[in-house]
């Protein structure tokens, strides 16, 4: 199963700066407007991604719905991240933040207020998410409200100087392979396109989850190591060599698309 969340994230990371540039250029502003419409109108979205060769990458069992569903769930995350990064850099530039070891992030009174609000928002979101009974309605609200808990956690973690100055080596290790963990969960932990759970040892759910989790983490770690090694080979520092490899990659995927469409017919 294609990991649509990761694909969505990378598409936006690469496309949004270009879209912003096009929007600033009057003669290309219509392209930026079309991009925005494609992102948020389901009918137009499905028509665009049903066109060959895009359909070869995004269709699942002849339907584009799964891609739209995954896109819709995470469609604001890149915007939220970019906005947070902009605010953080602006605060840094204006020397609003106190990032010294042991110091609160803001003046004491402001830090206490933000910390209290963050705890309230974190608990409120947690209660709302855990008491959700209608999955469809919760999915509709998720893109807009998920940022609340994430931002609240970031503030709770970073506002108090004593909390910001320490970290867990255990979780830091997991953080270094977080991307691989996120991808591998769809292929190891879960089954039947996320509709089921991988069962290696029937009849013993606890032992099954322990064994499958151990395999899951080990595979993610190895993939991380392999990815880092391959990146040094596939993406050389020499620009000429990099251009040649990009051309060969385009030729390879073009041939792959051609053969796939021919086989499908």
């Amino acid at each position: 199963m294609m990991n649509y969340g990761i694909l969505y994230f990378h598409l936006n990371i690469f496309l949004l700066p270009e879209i912003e540039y096009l929007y600033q250029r009057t003669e290309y502003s219509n392209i930026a407007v079309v991009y925005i419409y494609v992102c948020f109108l389901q009918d137009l979205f499905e028509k665009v991604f049903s066109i060959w060769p895009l359909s070869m990458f995004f269709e699942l069992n002849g339907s584009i719905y799964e891609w739209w569903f995954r896109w819709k769930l995470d469609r604001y995350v890149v915007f939220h991240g970019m906005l947070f990064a902009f605010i953080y850099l602006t605060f840094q530039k204006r020397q609003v933040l106190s990032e010294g070891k042991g110091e609160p992030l803001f003046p004491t009174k402001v830090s206490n207020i933000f910390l209290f609000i963050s705890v309230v928002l974190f608990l409120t979101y947690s209660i709302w998410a855990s008491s959700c009974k209608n999955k469809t309605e919760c999915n509709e609200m998720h893109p807009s409200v998920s940022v609340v808990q994430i931002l609240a956690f970031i503030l709770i973690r970073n506002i108090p100087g004593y909390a910001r100055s320490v970290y867990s080596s255990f979780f830091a290790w997991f953080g270094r392979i977080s991307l691989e963990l996120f991808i591998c969960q769809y292929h190891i932990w879960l089954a039947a396109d996320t509709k089921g759970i991988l069962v290696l040892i029937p009849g013993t759910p606890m032992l099954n989850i322990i064994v499958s989790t151990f395999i899951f983490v080990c595979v993610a770690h190895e993939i991380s190591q392999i990815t880092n090694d391959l990146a040094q080979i596939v993406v050389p520092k020499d620009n000429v060599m990099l251009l040649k490899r990009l051309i060969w990659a385009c030729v390879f995927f073009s041939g792959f698309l051609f053969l796939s469409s021919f086989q499908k017919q």
Side-chain angles (χ1 to χ4, degrees):
M1 174 181 171
M2 178 180 288
N3 194 310
Y4 293 110
I6 291 292
L7 185 57
Y8 162 78
F9 176 78
H10 284 93
L11 279 175
N12 277 280
I13 286 295
F14 288 115
L15 289 177
L16 280 176
E18 301 301 324
I19 296 300
E20 182 182 3
Y21 168 76
L22 292 174
Y23 189 77
Q24 291 172 353
R25 296 281 300 275
T26 306
E27 63 270 28
Y28 296 118
S29 60
N30 289 336
I31 299 176
V33 173
V34 169
Y35 172 80
I36 294 171
Y37 274 113
V38 168
C39 287
F40 297 101
L41 295 180
Q42 183 175 357
D43 291 339
L44 183 58
F45 182 96
E46 291 182 351
K47 288 179 181 178
V48 169
F49 285 100
S50 295
I51 300 172
W52 190 92
L54 292 177
S55 60
M56 301 298 296
F57 293 101
F58 299 103
E59 281 188 356
L60 182 66
N61 299 326
S63 173
I64 213 75
Y65 175 77
E66 187 70 18
W67 170 224
W68 162 253
F69 176 72
R70 299 294 173 183
W71 175 291
K72 184 175 67 172
L73 280 180
D74 298 316
R75 57 183 160 181
Y76 298 136
V77 294
V78 176
F79 299 98
H80 291 152
M82 294 171 70
L83 179 61
F84 183 82
F86 173 77
I87 294 172
Y88 173 70
L89 292 174
T90 302
F91 281 0
Q92 256 192 343
K93 187 176 181 180
R94 297 180 179 276
Q95 298 182 341
V96 175
L97 306 176
S98 302
E99 298 182 287
K101 188 174 182 179
E103 298 179 5
L105 199 60
F106 303 101
T108 304
K109 185 178 289 187
V110 177
S111 293
N112 290 337
I113 293 173
F114 277 165
L115 192 59
F116 175 76
I117 294 174
S118 299
V119 171
V120 171
L121 289 177
F122 187 89
L123 294 175
T124 301
Y125 180 89
S126 300
I127 293 170
W128 170 79
S130 60
S131 60
C132 174
K133 295 180 179 179
N134 190 317
K135 187 174 183 294
T136 303
E137 291 181 2
C138 292
N139 285 340
E140 290 296 325
M141 294 184 64
H142 171 79
S144 302
V145 302
S146 61
V147 67
V148 172
Q149 190 179 43
I150 296 171
L151 183 58
F153 176 80
I154 291 173
L155 292 176
I156 293 170
R157 176 71 175 84
N158 289 279
I159 286 179
Y162 57 85
R164 195 173 65 250
S165 59
V166 296
Y167 71 96
S168 167
S169 299
F170 177 76
F171 289 113
W173 183 84
F174 277 95
R176 285 192 286 271
I177 59 171
S178 58
L179 176 61
E180 289 75 17
L181 289 171
F182 182 73
I183 295 172
C184 289
Q185 67 174 319
Y186 294 102
H187 305 284
I188 300 174
W189 238 359
L190 303 177
D193 290 337
T194 73
K195 303 298 190 299
I197 298 174
L198 179 64
V199 178
L200 299 175
I201 308 175
T204 53
M206 186 60 67
L207 182 59
N208 180 77
I209 195 66
I210 291 173
V211 173
S212 61
T213 299
F214 177 76
I215 296 172
F216 165 54
V217 174
C218 289
V219 170
H221 178 265
E222 291 305 308
I223 290 176
S224 177
Q225 296 293 324
I226 293 170
T227 303
N228 291 333
D229 293 338
L230 286 178
Q232 306 300 320
I233 301 172
V234 177
V235 187
K237 294 182 179 179
D238 181 51
N239 291 333
V240 177
M241 184 62 69
L242 177 61
L243 180 60
K244 288 181 180 179
R245 292 185 180 179
L246 283 174
I247 292 172
W248 277 112
C250 290
V251 171
F252 172 78
F253 282 111
S254 298
F256 178 76
L257 282 172
F258 176 77
L259 290 175
S260 298
S261 60
F262 181 76
Q263 185 180 11
K264 191 174 182 180
Q265 291 174 358

